[in-house]
Amino acid sequence: MNQIQENSHSTIPSEVLSRAKKEIGEDDERKDATLKIIKEWLKKQPHLSCSQDDRFFLMYARGCKYSIEKIKRKIDLCLTMRALLPEIFSGWDAMSPNIQNALKYGIMLPLPGFDHLGRKVFVYRMGCFPPEKVKVEDLEKASGMVAEVLAYEEPVIFITGVVVIVDFDGYTLSHLTHRPLSFMKKQAKYFQDAGPASPKSINFIRTPTAFNAVYNLVMGIFNDKMKQRVKVHGSDFESLYKEVPKALLPSDYGGQGPSFVQLTDSWKKKVEKNREFLLQQQKYVADESKRQGKPRTTEELFGIEGSFRKLTVD
């Protein structure tokens, strides 16, 4: 496969770049012009501390189909929400005991390769951990770190999209109470409104009775476009195979890919390898005291119910 160098760290296949030109109008001239405009705009936003890595800006440029105003809104919202969610986006030290403990469960696992439509598939395992042995905040920090590494290593996902499998195997009432609905609401809001990658398909599998509360919450938050992309397969793996090629799936699902144990070990090592990068990434947030105009609040963005305490992070 022909590879075109995006920068010193990542490559995008030439056929995917051709697809980007056709679907979102990307070419070198538009890309360079957009990067210049966004970087100039950021200089006038004293409240935003932002990575200057072109890959960050291109995530949003591609995810927003090169709409300049939408890119600005999304970057601002991303950094604002990250500042208001320290329970997810701070304490990103891969070698700290709490993160080491969380990583060993493999709650969020991107799968190797891409599906038949060029999309990245990842599995989010809601019941794979003992609730009494790990904090929900640590699990979400670890998941956020995995997602951050994936985003920078595989920029193709912002052109082709992602597919999410949410696996409820082992999910109990203890897991539901371990992760308050207010927490899940915040996660879903960030995922839908501030994340640069738009999921093309969200697949719920192995769903127990306790799943209903989660499903109702998520569907109450998602916009109409996202709702149409949700599929509930239950325990019907043949139904899942119609959405995600069997060959790509982990051996745990009857597929030909690596097992969950192998994937967990692989991603734990990858996060550890990127420790310094992740420590830097956690610093990129909004400072509401410097915002020109009215500061944005947790209540405004997430609703007043279930507001979280601010966590002390060392």
Side-chain angles (χ1 to χ4, degrees):
M1 184 181 287
N2 234 357
Q3 298 276 321
I4 292 180
Q5 193 75 20
E6 174 126 308
N7 55 35
S8 61
H9 304 284
S10 57
T11 57
I12 289 184
S14 56
E15 57 266 37
V16 176
L17 290 177
S18 296
R19 180 173 166 180
K21 184 172 184 178
K22 180 180 179 181
E23 295 179 4
I24 59 178
E26 177 177 301
D27 57 33
D28 288 342
E29 184 177 348
R30 190 177 193 188
K31 188 160 64 173
D32 292 344
T34 299
L35 290 175
K36 183 177 180 181
I37 290 169
I38 297 302
K39 288 177 181 179
E40 286 299 315
W41 166 76
L42 273 169
K43 291 177 182 177
K44 301 172 185 176
Q45 312 303 316
H47 64 296
L48 297 182
S49 173
C50 186
S51 168
Q52 294 302 302
D53 191 321
D54 286 353
R55 289 174 296 178
F56 175 79
F57 302 120
L58 286 172
M59 290 178 202
Y60 282 93
R62 288 162 172 158
C64 297
K65 299 181 179 179
Y66 280 88
S67 166
I68 297 296
E69 292 310 309
K70 190 174 181 181
I71 296 167
K72 292 177 182 178
R73 286 197 305 273
K74 274 237 179 183
I75 288 177
D76 191 311
L77 187 59
C78 165
L79 299 176
T80 298
M81 284 191 170
R82 286 189 174 212
L84 295 174
L85 293 172
E87 55 271 48
I88 299 176
F89 295 105
S90 67
W92 277 14
D93 184 349
M95 302 311 295
S96 67
N98 58 325
I99 297 299
Q100 283 282 301
N101 182 46
L103 285 169
K104 73 183 184 184
Y105 293 109
I107 190 171
M108 208 279 270
L109 298 171
L111 306 183
F114 300 90
D115 75 359
H116 57 299
L117 297 176
R119 306 174 300 185
K120 192 72 180 177
V121 181
F122 67 84
V123 180
Y124 192 90
R125 303 195 295 155
M126 295 286 287
C128 69
F129 59 93
E132 71 280 4
K133 292 186 178 180
V134 59
K135 294 180 180 178
V136 63
E137 293 94 339
D138 294 337
L139 290 169
E140 290 316 311
K141 290 178 199 290
S143 297
M145 293 160 76
V146 167
E148 196 84 355
V149 171
L150 176 69
Y152 277 80
E153 285 196 346
E154 302 203 35
V156 65
I157 66 177
F158 302 104
I159 298 171
T160 59
V162 299
V163 173
V164 183
I165 298 171
V166 186
D167 185 350
F168 280 83
D169 185 46
Y171 190 76
T172 66
L173 187 59
S174 294
H175 289 93
L176 179 62
T177 55
H178 178 258
R179 184 190 304 265
L181 293 181
S182 58
F183 192 102
M184 281 188 264
K185 178 180 178 181
K186 292 180 179 184
Q187 285 179 291
K189 286 284 286 181
Y190 177 85
F191 184 60
Q192 174 181 262
D193 298 341
S198 175
K200 304 301 182 185
S201 172
I202 302 172
N203 302 270
F204 293 109
I205 66 171
R206 300 201 278 197
T207 48
T209 304
F211 161 74
N212 292 335
V214 178
Y215 180 79
N216 292 334
L217 172 84
V218 168
M219 295 302 280
I221 294 170
F222 280 171
N223 57 35
D224 289 340
K225 182 187 287 187
M226 290 281 272
K227 287 177 183 176
Q228 292 169 8
R229 296 176 179 179
V230 172
K231 298 177 178 64
V232 180
H233 303 279
S235 297
D236 186 355
F237 277 87
E238 291 301 324
S239 175
L240 177 65
Y241 298 155
K242 292 176 184 177
E243 187 65 28
V244 181
K246 185 176 181 180
L248 193 69
L249 292 169
S251 55
D252 307 74
Y253 293 164
Q256 298 168 20
S259 69
F260 284 145
V261 170
Q262 292 171 310
L263 288 166
T264 298
D265 181 63
S266 174
W267 275 100
K268 182 173 180 290
K269 289 176 179 174
K270 190 170 286 193
V271 168
E272 291 168 355
K273 181 181 176 182
N274 285 278
R275 182 186 182 219
E276 294 305 319
F277 165 76
L278 290 164
L279 286 171
Q280 183 62 38
Q281 292 301 107
Q282 70 173 346
K283 298 177 182 177
Y284 298 134
V285 293
D287 180 347
E288 294 303 318
S289 69
K290 297 179 180 178
R291 184 185 291 274
Q292 297 167 340
K294 185 181 178 182
R296 307 197 73 176
T297 64
T298 300
E299 289 74 17
E300 174 200 347
L301 292 173
F302 302 109
I304 197 164
E305 75 277 6
S307 295
F308 271 155
R309 68 194 189 285
K310 294 289 183 181
L311 301 182
T312 301
V313 181
D314 54 30

